[in-house]
């Protein structure tokens, strides 16, 4: 990539960013858009603009607000998980900034002033690219200046260790503070029990669970909630809810029609497939009849489910947080495959259908899933290649003759010709996170947050392996697969030789990511358009409108791996082409700013896991660091630097650091430390009935409780 | 080894065994020897011969008694650990017996009837040794009969898996039953707390510990006992106890002298080194004075220790078994290096000086110890070789000229000439278990039983590596070290080729072990002689006599590795030379019988760990099995059997089996399952003061308790 196209690319990205910023500044002040730009504040019952009128408002006030907000504000608006995400952003920003301060002013002039006769020869005509002159590629083989690069590797690693250590400590503090709060959180009084052995005759599961826990915790056991097979009851419940929603909508349509015509037009619909076929009925009467029919059916199904469809899992409640926390980490049964107990996740993030899966089923499922993920990561190009080969234009015409008239138009042919080959890949990449999420849930994981962490891990491996290593080594990998088979170490050398050429590509890649990505994120153009379209054409009731603007969460399963990919790229190039460091730093710095706004005003988290994501992030940052160190070893080797072994302590140090951090900090993220939840002020028993009811799935009638006849 | 020397060796061992048996039958009926042959019964306050008079007693009654005793008898006489040891013996006996039933009648004729021309050629003159004709060595290369050997390998492995699975389950049951008993065991109400962070100013450690646990367990916390630096107080206490003992002895000597001379002779002694030099004093008065002087000194030291010398470890008591068990397995602090909590071991087996060692000190010590052990196992021959080289006769004469007249005598020269070269090795092997025990304790392990397990592990590796692999490969290993460096796999082939030649050596080794070893064990000739000598010349008081006959325990740290060595040898030869199987089976069968007698009547266990030894044993049996399977792979390779890969699933299966067992059973051996200790009948609070006092070291005055002024 030459200098002009590099600058063109950066400029284009920047212009898009400026346009999106202006759009955001304009659109966000319009009161009609408040639900799109401030949904989190609205849902929390706060005034969108915090007092100041929308007119007089400075369009860049959000920057000041983001900077002036404290960590406590983030936690209160969006929970601990969001605060942990900011710790991640600021830590990585710090690492890249501190590295950049040392590396850019020293390594860049050092590379530029090197006289490299070799390169001049081969590039004789075109001179040496300016960008490449600023990188380590310009250093001579065996040059003494490589010593400075070695020191730079140590500096980057050292900065990373210190920042990560501080961050882990800080996240641990945040987590502890959140868990310590005296406010009653139902999940702190409950544990999840799985692998309940099949009960002896005459006993129901519930009696069995109650007796078991009453024996062990005679004083603090409160109640148990046995997990049931809810498929049937859920189906009826969903149908009923759907009818209620449709009834409401029909009533509004009827009322609206009365405004035009005092008589009104009773809305009607057909009962068949998608309302296209079947008998025509009057909607309001039809739905009222249906609700009347479904309500007793639901009640009967609920009763049947609660008594007859008890499964081998339960949520057990204690009257003390300390007991619940201790129970979550103690072995209750002698065999590890019965009475498996763990801390209960929040009720809203429980994956009910996964709970009754038995220990061995989980182990097998997990291994099968890992194997599938491994295949997906390594060989996903094969089926896509095959599909691409079949979906050429001539093939399409042959297979789908009815498309012929369309395909024969020139304009369509050009567009399809350009995109058809990558169509399978594009669809695959769009569906990949969903597919990985499906796989993670299929492992038998009990909670949403855990499944998201598992997805994020899988996506991380996919993106690092395919984008970074894939782009860098490019097509050469498959050609030289035989070489690698013979000398497996040569993959490091291969990676190292292909690195410098791609530096400017990755710089523009990072810049594109933050300019366009953050611009779109902040301006919310897509959700805004969708909201206005929906409100105009689809929404009838207030609930419909709310559904239309209801924001999602930050989307950790894709967001964190994407950030990690940028971090991996920046770290790996940090010493080779230090110019990437400011771009990386801007990515995370600007990200911090943009997401501070989003977290405070827009996104609504789906769950709260009290920072359980952190050990996962921490480990993957270290994996990136390790990849950087190993790559550098290879690169020094390529430069025929005979002191390359001085780098060897670095990967060892990283592994040691990972081990020490894991030993010292990790356990608190797996289970709750008792000193944290033991709170002398919290002497009073919370309202246990509320705690208990918060765990009952809505389809089982949360109002009444599924087993009031049960033993208390 | 030819047939005649093989039979001679067996016969000699058997004759020694018979003589020892006759001696035992005769000596054990003499009432004066009862304390040597029935100390455990006597200490338990039972009649040595269980009613029947010693005269009329059948000399082989012990065999009947051993057979008729139940597991419950063993547990009540000698604890769970002994019962677990019998599970080990009977399991291994079962494995070897079931293997033998299939292997001996099939493999031996199969080998004998093979026509092997190759071997006849090379051994032309001397014919083929009868013993070797019965082993797999007699099978031709690539012979189809090797398929039977393959099946035999699978049979042995299968039998081992089934027996081990049953045994683990059984041991788990025994452990659960013992822990479930309602009888109050102090250690079940206590936990061990280490790594207490340095307390804030103005607080004593005790106040800090009390407050910490009172916050977390407001209802069940009882009291804490902070570990103190007892060196000084122990010294004074030991001196005082010594004086008391000597005073008693002096009084008895004085009383005895009065029988001869009515005046009596006041015993005297010199106060200097070993009573050889210094002022002569009257013993009784001297000791009375000394006791009077020491008693207040001890009290002052006790007070000082309890208040001023508190360390960063404590024993914490709870009023509930369940809380103590749950506390032992829950994380209390956020960081893993503070407030480390584990189940308390029995008071008698606590290693007090190890308790205050900090987390990081323990980690470092452990790694240093592992490294030293590794060096010891691999390179112990080097220092011993050097010492042997220096301690030759001529050297001795030069270095220690005063020994010249002795060394010049012919007889002594012959004996020394024979034993001097191995002297260093003999001394080393005798001291090795003590050295390994010292190392294990230096790791910072908190309890005696844990240290013994660690020692046993280290000794196992030493014995398998050096005796089995050492003898088998012999000197050839060092010569061919370069070969092995080039092809690390060749070590398996090497092992396999050297195996058959050593089969008869190992058969006689096993026979010697059980005939002579068990004969000596049962007849207790050595302790008997020592006891009678001591009683005659040294013992004055009743306590002295009791000390003289007081038996030790089974000595697991050396016993189990020795048994494991025999098992390893037998398993590895089981298919190659199946004749070893009956001998191995007899070793464990006879061992069961002999030790049944010893456990019921002689030995007194030092501690009770409720079978924590079992996972350790289980894992090492599987290691032996793995070694057997890998060796067989090598041996089939040597036989140029092209279907050798059919053995590959076996090691994989063993690893999988080890993993499954570890997952399923192991956790219950690390910490107590709550369902086991939760006992509805155990509603009453035990006498907590007794529980508490049982943990106070005697030097700190257990009668009064070290801190009655402390908060309750």
């Amino acid at each position: 990539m030459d200098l002009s196209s590099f600058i063109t690319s950066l400029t284009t990205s920047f212009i898009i960013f400026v346009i999106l910023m202006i759009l955001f500044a304009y659109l966000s002040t319009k009161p009609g858009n408040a639900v799109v730009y401030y949904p989190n504040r609205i849902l929390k019952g706060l005034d969108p603009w915090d007092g100041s009128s929308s007119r007089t408002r400075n369009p860049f006030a959000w920057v000041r607000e983001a900077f002036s907000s404290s960590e406590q504000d983030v936690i209160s608006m969006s929970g601990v998980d969001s605060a942990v995400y900011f710790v991640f952003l600021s830590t990585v920003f710090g690492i890249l900034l501190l590295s950049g301060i040392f590396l850019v002013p020293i390594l860049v002039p050092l590379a530029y002033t090197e006289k490299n006769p070799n390169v001049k020869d081969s590039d004789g005509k075109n001179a040496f690219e300016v960008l490449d002159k600023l990188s380590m590629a310009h250093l001579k083989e065996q040059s003494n200046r490589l010593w400075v690069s070695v020191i730079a590797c140590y500096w980057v690693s050292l900065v990373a260790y210190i920042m990560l250590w501080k961050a882990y400590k800080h996240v641990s503090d945040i987590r502890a503070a959140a868990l310590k709060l005296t406010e009653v959180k139902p999940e702190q009084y409950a544990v999840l029990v799985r692998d309940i052995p099949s009960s002896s005759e005459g006993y129901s599961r519930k009696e069995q669970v109650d007796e078991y826990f009453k024996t062990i915790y005679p004083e603090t056991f409160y109640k148990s909630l046995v997990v049931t097979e809810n498929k049937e009851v859920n189906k009826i419940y969903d149908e009923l809810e759907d009818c209620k929603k449709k009834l409401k909508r029909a009533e509004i349509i009827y009322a609206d029609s009365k405004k035009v015509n005092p008589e009104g037009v009773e809305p009607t619909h057909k009962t068949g497939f998608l309302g296209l076929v079947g008998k025509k009925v009057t909607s309001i009467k039809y739905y009222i009849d249906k609700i009347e029919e479904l309500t007793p059916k639901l009640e009967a199904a609920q009763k049947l489910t609660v008594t007859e469809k008890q499964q081998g899992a339960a949520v057990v409640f204690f009257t003390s947080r300390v007991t619940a926390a201790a129970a979550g980490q103690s072995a209750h049964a002698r065999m590890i495959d019965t009475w498996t107990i763990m801390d209960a996740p929040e009720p809203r993030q429980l994956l009910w259908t996964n709970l009754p899966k038995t220990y061995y089923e989980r182990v097998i499922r997990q291994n099968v899933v890992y194997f599938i993920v491994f295949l997906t990561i390594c060989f996903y190009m094969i089926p896509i290649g095959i599909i691409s080969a079949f979906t050429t234009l001539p093939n399409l015409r042959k297979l789908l003759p009815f498309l012929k008239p369309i395909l024969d138009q020139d304009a369509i042919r050009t567009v399809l010709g350009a995109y058809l080959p990558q169509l399978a890949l594009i669809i695959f990449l769009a569906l990949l996170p969903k597919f990985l999420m499906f796989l993670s849930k299929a492992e038998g994981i009990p909670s949403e947050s855990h499944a998201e962490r598992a997805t994020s891990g899988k996506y991380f491996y996919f993106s690092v392996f395919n984008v970074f290593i894939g782009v860098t080594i490019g097509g050469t990998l498959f050609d030289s697969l035989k070489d690698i088979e013979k000398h497996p170490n040569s993959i490091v050398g291969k990676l190292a030789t292909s690195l410098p050429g791609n530096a400017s590509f990755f710089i523009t890649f990072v810049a594109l990511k933050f300019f366009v990505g953050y611009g779109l994120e902040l301006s919310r153009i897509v959700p805004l358009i969708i909201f206005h379209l929906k409100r105009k054409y689809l929404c009838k009731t207030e609930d419909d409108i709310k559904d239309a603007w209801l924001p999602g969460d930050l989307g950790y399963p894709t967001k964190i791996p994407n950030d990690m990919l940028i971090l991996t790229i920046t770290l790996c190039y940090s010493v080779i082409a230090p110019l990437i460091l400011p771009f990386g730093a801007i990515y995370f710095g600007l990200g911090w700013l943009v997401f501070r706004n989003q977290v405070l005003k827009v996104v609504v988290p789906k769950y709260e896991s009290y920072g359980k994501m952190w050990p996962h992030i921490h480990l993957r940052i270290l994996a990136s660091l390790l990849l950087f160190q190993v790559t550098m070893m290879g690169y020094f080797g390529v430069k025929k630097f005979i002191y390359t072994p001085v780098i060897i302590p670095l990967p060892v140090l990283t592994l040691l650091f990972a081990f020490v951090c894991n030993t010292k900090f990790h356990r608190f993220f797996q289970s709750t430390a008792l000193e944290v939840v033991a709170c002398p002020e919290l002497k009073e028993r919370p309202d246990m009935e509320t705690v208990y009811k918060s765990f009952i799935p809505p389809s089982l009638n949360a109002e009444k409780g599924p087993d009031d006849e049960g033993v208390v």
Side-chain angles (χ1 to χ4, degrees), chain A:
Chain A
M1 189 180 277
D2 57 26
L3 192 63
S4 67
S5 67
F6 175 72
I7 289 174
T8 316
S9 164
L10 284 190
T11 320
T12 323
S13 302
F14 182 68
I15 290 170
I16 296 175
F17 178 68
V18 169
I19 294 171
L20 289 170
M21 280 299 100
I22 294 170
L23 269 175
F24 170 64
Y26 171 72
L27 292 169
S28 66
T29 50
K30 296 213 145 194
N33 293 336
V35 288
V36 174
Y37 291 106
Y38 305 94
N40 193 13
R41 291 186 66 86
I42 291 171
L43 284 172
K44 285 242 166 26
L46 298 168
D47 179 49
W49 288 285
D50 209 5
S52 63
S53 144
S54 64
R55 302 270 152 182
T56 62
R57 192 177 148 81
N58 178 345
F60 291 98
W62 68 271
V63 177
R64 193 177 35 74
E65 282 164 18
F67 275 123
S68 63
S69 65
S70 70
E71 189 163 65
Q72 209 44 55
D73 296 337
V74 173
I75 293 174
S76 63
M77 283 306 289
S78 192
V80 175
D81 287 337
S82 302
V84 168
Y85 181 63
F86 284 105
V87 173
F88 162 62
L89 291 177
S90 57
T91 303
V92 174
F93 177 71
I95 294 173
L96 299 182
L97 193 74
L98 284 175
S99 304
I101 284 173
F102 176 75
L103 267 59
V104 175
I106 294 179
L107 289 185
V108 171
L110 212 66
Y112 190 73
T113 56
E114 177 92 327
K115 289 186 181 65
N116 195 336
N118 290 341
V119 186
K120 262 183 192 158
D121 281 356
S122 65
D123 286 54
K125 199 178 62 182
N126 202 17
F128 204 81
E129 284 295 343
V130 179
L131 280 173
D132 292 347
K133 265 195 181 168
L134 305 175
S135 83
M136 209 173 133
H138 198 234
L139 291 182
K140 272 184 293 197
E141 281 181 2
Q142 301 188 329
S143 165
N144 273 329
R145 295 188 179 192
L146 288 169
W147 274 109
V148 183
S149 304
V150 169
I151 295 170
C153 290
Y154 271 90
W155 173 252
V156 172
S157 307
L158 200 74
V159 166
Y161 298 148
I162 294 171
M163 298 295 288
L164 284 173
W165 182 266
K166 278 187 178 169
Y168 217 143
K169 232 180 188 156
H170 183 54
V171 171
S172 181
D173 289 341
I174 300 178
R175 178 173 162 86
L179 290 173
K180 206 175 196 131
L181 289 180
T182 49
E183 175 197 330
V184 174
K185 297 180 202 92
E187 67 272 18
Q188 287 197 320
Y189 291 88
V191 293
L192 199 60
V193 183
R194 306 171 84 178
D195 308 315
I196 300 174
S198 43
S199 76
S200 45
E201 268 175 71
Y203 269 102
S204 79
R205 291 271 188 184
K206 186 165 165 53
E207 286 162 344
Q208 187 195 5
V209 172
D210 284 351
E211 203 194 298
Y212 188 82
F213 283 95
K214 222 184 276 170
T215 312
I216 299 180
Y217 303 99
E219 274 141 40
T220 45
F221 171 74
Y222 174 68
K223 229 180 198 182
S224 72
L225 172 68
V226 174
V227 173
T228 46
E229 212 271 87
N230 293 348
K231 213 170 140 190
E232 185 123 14
V233 81
N234 278 346
K235 213 181 116 195
I236 303 174
Y237 178 77
D238 288 345
E239 215 178 326
L240 185 64
E241 289 296 303
D242 190 50
C243 284
K244 281 182 185 163
K245 209 184 266 177
K246 280 181 178 158
L247 174 64
K248 222 174 181 179
R249 212 176 282 169
E251 280 169 350
I252 284 178
I253 294 171
Y254 186 46
D256 283 350
S257 73
K258 273 186 186 163
K259 285 176 197 156
V260 188
N261 174 349
E263 281 283 297
V265 183
E266 277 247 29
T268 57
H269 72 277
K270 289 177 179 169
T271 56
F273 177 71
L274 282 178
L276 296 175
V277 291
K279 220 179 73 183
K280 198 170 176 174
V281 292
T282 318
S283 297
I284 294 180
K285 194 181 157 357
Y286 175 78
Y287 288 128
I288 289 176
D289 289 352
K290 194 122 192 227
I291 289 171
E292 256 171 30
E293 175 200 333
L294 283 172
T295 310
K297 210 171 147 193
L298 179 69
E299 269 169 26
Q302 282 172 346
K303 207 166 245 170
L304 187 78
T305 304
V306 167
T307 54
E308 299 295 316
K309 292 186 178 170
Q310 298 187 355
Q311 306 274 302
V315 183
V316 172
F317 299 89
F318 297 102
T319 55
S320 141
R321 294 208 293 193
V322 174
T323 311
Q329 44 193 316
S330 301
H332 284 65
R334 280 163 44 200
M335 305 301 167
I336 215 65
D337 51 0
T338 53
W339 298 102
T340 312
I341 299 191
M342 54 185 288
D343 290 342
E346 293 173 307
R348 59 176 164 169
Q349 56 161 317
L350 267 176
L351 300 174
W352 290 98
T353 48
N354 272 344
L355 299 186
K357 296 205 164 77
T358 64
Y359 184 81
Y360 296 104
E361 192 184 343
R362 266 142 47 204
V363 170
I364 293 166
R365 277 168 171 271
Q366 200 175 38
N367 283 302
V368 171
V369 164
Y370 286 173
F371 184 66
I372 295 174
V373 169
F374 170 78
L375 290 184
T376 311
I377 290 177
C378 294
F379 305 112
Y380 76 100
M381 283 310 292
I382 296 171
I384 288 173
I386 295 170
I387 295 171
S388 298
F390 278 99
T391 50
T392 55
L393 276 183
N395 273 337
L396 271 190
R397 287 180 58 178
K398 229 183 283 169
L399 292 170
L400 308 166
F402 57 88
L403 285 179
K404 239 184 218 170
I406 306 175
L407 291 178
D408 283 344
Q409 287 182 7
D410 262 4
I412 289 176
R413 221 170 45 209
T414 321
V415 173
L416 276 183
Y419 285 106
L420 209 51
Q422 293 110 37
L423 195 65
L425 182 62
I426 292 167
I427 293 174
F428 170 80
L429 287 179
L431 292 181
L432 183 66
K434 288 213 187 318
F435 175 60
L436 293 178
M437 190 68 179
F438 164 77
L439 283 180
S440 299
K441 285 186 178 170
E443 279 180 39
I445 284 172
S447 70
E448 186 78 25
S449 63
H450 190 165
E452 288 209 350
R453 286 196 294 279
T455 309
S456 167
K458 296 181 176 80
Y459 198 71
F460 169 76
Y461 292 116
F462 179 84
S463 63
V464 166
F465 186 81
N466 283 298
V467 179
F468 179 62
I469 300 183
V471 168
T472 311
I473 309 192
T476 61
L477 183 68
F478 284 92
D479 301 341
S480 53
L481 215 62
K482 275 201 178 160
D483 268 26
I484 289 168
E485 246 170 49
K486 276 185 218 144
H487 315 281
N489 291 329
S490 75
I491 197 164
V492 172
K494 191 123 250 146
L495 192 58
T497 19
S498 3
L499 273 175
N502 291 304
S504 37
F505 166 77
F506 276 122
I507 291 181
T508 52
F509 177 74
V510 174
L512 184 82
K513 273 267 177 183
F514 64 69
F515 279 142
V516 180
Y518 290 155
L520 282 173
E521 177 72 44
L522 191 63
S523 62
R524 288 179 68 78
I525 294 293
V526 182
L528 183 78
I529 294 169
I530 292 176
F531 165 66
H532 282 294
L533 286 177
K534 270 194 180 166
R535 197 175 56 173
K536 193 144 193 185
Y537 300 107
L538 289 173
C539 300
K540 298 293 173 197
T541 63
E542 278 295 308
D543 288 348
D544 287 349
I545 293 174
K546 195 176 168 188
D547 280 350
W549 59 255
L550 215 59
D553 64 353
L554 273 179
Y556 295 114
T558 50
K559 176 159 299 309
I560 287 177
N562 278 329
D563 293 346
M564 285 290 171
L565 177 64
I566 301 292
L567 175 65
T568 309
I569 292 170
T570 313
L571 274 183
C572 285
Y573 280 103
S574 60
V575 173
I576 296 173
L579 271 192
I580 204 171
L581 280 171
F583 289 90
I586 294 174
Y587 177 88
F588 287 99
L590 203 59
W592 188 93
L593 191 66
V594 168
F595 283 107
R596 200 74 164 195
N597 180 68
Q598 304 300 87
V599 158
L600 291 174
K601 293 165 192 165
V602 183
V603 296
V604 177
K606 255 203 311 240
Y607 57 77
E608 173 67 277
S609 72
Y610 303 104
K612 275 197 178 178
M613 186 61 113
W614 182 258
H616 170 100
I617 294 175
H618 174 85
L619 215 65
R620 275 159 191 84
I621 297 180
L622 284 178
S624 300
L625 194 66
L626 195 69
L627 187 62
F628 153 62
Q629 291 163 341
V630 172
T631 311
M632 285 316 293
M633 264 166 68
Y635 195 61
F636 281 117
V638 168
K639 283 277 170 191
K640 303 216 169 73
F641 185 58
I642 52 166
Y643 301 107
T644 304
V646 295
I647 298 287
I648 292 175
L650 276 184
V652 176
L653 220 61
T654 302
L655 292 175
L656 204 70
F657 180 76
F659 176 75
V660 170
C661 283
N662 196 48
T663 314
K664 189 173 169 76
F665 298 110
H666 191 200
R667 185 161 179 189
F668 177 49
F669 286 82
Q670 289 178 303
S671 44
T672 314
L674 300 188
E675 66 171 20
V676 170
V677 286
C679 186
E681 298 94 61
L682 196 80
K683 279 270 162 64
E684 274 170 53
R685 227 173 88 148
D687 176 7
M688 286 309 295
E689 206 53 29
T690 319
V691 167
Y692 170 66
K693 280 194 174 146
S694 68
F695 269 90
I696 299 169
S699 61
L700 283 181
N701 194 352
E703 293 312 304
K704 244 184 71 192
D707 40 18
D708 272 350
E709 75 281 7
V711 201
V712 179

